[in-house]
Amino acid sequence: MTVPLLGFDNPQFHTGRNTSVRRGARWHGVAQACIELGEGRQIGPISLQTELRAFDALDEADLRDEHDPGCRTPAGLLAVMQRLYPGFRDDELVTLVHFWVE
C-alpha cells in the first residue's frame, strides 16, 4: 500500500499537534501519510486523525493548532482556502487533518 504525501503551500509546523484543513472528503479517514517539509524533505509515515466538518461551522478553537499561523481564524483560513482552491465557498465540507510533530 502506498502512503500518501500530505503537501503544504506554507509548511510551518510547531511541536505537538498540528492541523491542516483540506477541501472536501478526500483526506477523511486516511490513517497515515508522509508530511512534506519543503525543499524536497519529508517525514513519516505518521498517524493522522481526521474530522469531516462544514467550513462555516469552524471557529477559532477548531483552528488553534492550524500549522499556518495565518489560518488560525475562520476569516484567515477562508482567504487561504479561496487562494488555494479557486471557487471555494464557505459552505463546503472540509476535512481537518490532525498530526503530531516532535
Side-chain angles (χ1 to χ4, degrees):
M1 181 176 115
T2 302
V3 176
L5 178 65
L6 191 60
F8 294 88
D9 183 61
N10 185 16
Q12 297 184 48
F13 306 110
H14 51 272
T15 301
R17 181 172 126 152
N18 285 259
T19 299
S20 180
V21 179
R22 302 297 166 123
R23 184 183 204 178
R26 175 176 169 230
W27 285 94
H28 184 60
V30 175
Q32 61 180 352
C34 290
I35 304 295
E36 180 183 45
L37 299 175
E39 301 172 2
R41 298 176 302 130
Q42 59 182 270
I43 57 171
I46 63 174
S47 296
L48 306 177
Q49 288 183 339
T50 63
E51 300 176 61
L52 192 59
R53 303 280 297 277
F55 183 91
D56 56 9
L58 298 177
D59 60 26
E60 288 187 26
D62 297 314
L63 304 176
R64 71 180 175 274
D65 296 319
E66 170 62 44
H67 74 94
D68 183 340
C71 295
R72 292 185 186 149
T73 65
L77 178 60
L78 180 60
V80 170
M81 296 292 279
Q82 289 176 331
R83 181 176 54 81
L84 294 175
Y85 303 110
F88 182 83
R89 299 179 327 272
D90 67 355
D91 63 347
E92 292 188 43
L93 286 178
V94 293
T95 301
L96 279 67
V97 180
H98 308 291
F99 57 95
W100 285 258
V101 175
E102 295 181 14

